[in-house]
Amino acid sequence: MLAWLAWTRRAVLAAGLAAAAAPVAAETRLGDDGLHKAPWMRETFLDLREDLAEASAEGKRFAIIFEQRGCIYCTKMHEEVFPREEVADYLNDNFFVVQLNLHGDLEVVDLDGDLRSEKDMARKWGILFTPTLMFLPEEVDGDATAPQAAVATMPGAFGWQTVLDMLTWVNEKRYALDGEEDFQRYHARMIEERASGRAE
């Protein structure tokens, strides 16, 4: 009996310590459209040309995230990945993120000036999965659409380390570096460095 009580106390203590060590979740709520609203998301007039200019003026990278009501993968990202302190802080510090609704009716102006509803823009761009994160360069040719200009696209739900590595890879412009280290090789290197304790 005493051994069982000692084990129970240790288990409760360990659970309490684990909870205390877990990152504090950034406040996320469901909007009237049924989509998750995170503190690092921006509400704009959805003129992507203006959003890109504003992001650049703030020294941040512009990203677009497509989501939809009832998306279990979006929920997973908003409950398990985006609230992690290291991911939420990195997004807040380095990215200007605009959310679009895969089935939404709000009007969006593409980088080429084309005006369509969110759902029609999703069709034009070939967005099939939610969540989909699209990352834009700091400057875009006036004739390019958002997907044509994008430096990277991340369709679907991933673990927090993959997401953080993608954010870092984009923010540090590693896609523009000479050499053979594409995102997959960069991510593999970061996994190895984290496992060996060499990563920051």
Side-chain angles (χ1 to χ4, degrees), residues 32-99:
D32 294 338
D33 56 3
L35 305 186
H36 295 86
K37 306 299 177 185
W40 40 264
M41 290 178 176
R42 302 295 187 96
E43 288 190 29
T44 72
F45 293 112
L46 301 183
D47 184 327
L48 303 184
R49 300 165 301 181
E50 293 178 0
D51 295 339
L52 177 64
E54 190 172 343
S56 295
E58 292 183 17
K60 296 188 175 184
R61 299 305 301 271
F62 180 40
I64 300 163
I65 185 168
F66 265 98
E67 300 190 80
Q68 64 177 309
R69 180 189 293 266
C71 168
I72 60 172
Y73 303 107
C74 302
T75 298
K76 179 179 177 64
M77 293 292 282
H78 282 283
E79 289 182 353
E80 299 175 19
V81 176
F82 294 143
R84 287 193 66 97
E85 188 174 6
E86 42 288 68
V87 176
D89 287 351
Y90 202 86
L91 279 164
N92 192 58
D93 292 344
N94 300 290
F95 285 87
F96 185 108
V97 183
V98 171
Q99 182 185 60

Side-chain angles (χ1 to χ4, degrees), residues 80-82 84 86-87 158-165 194:
E80 299 175 19
V81 176
F82 294 143
R84 287 193 66 97
E86 42 288 68
V87 176
F158 294 87
W160 74 269
Q161 292 179 339
T162 305
V163 172
L164 185 59
D165 286 350
R194 279 190 288 265

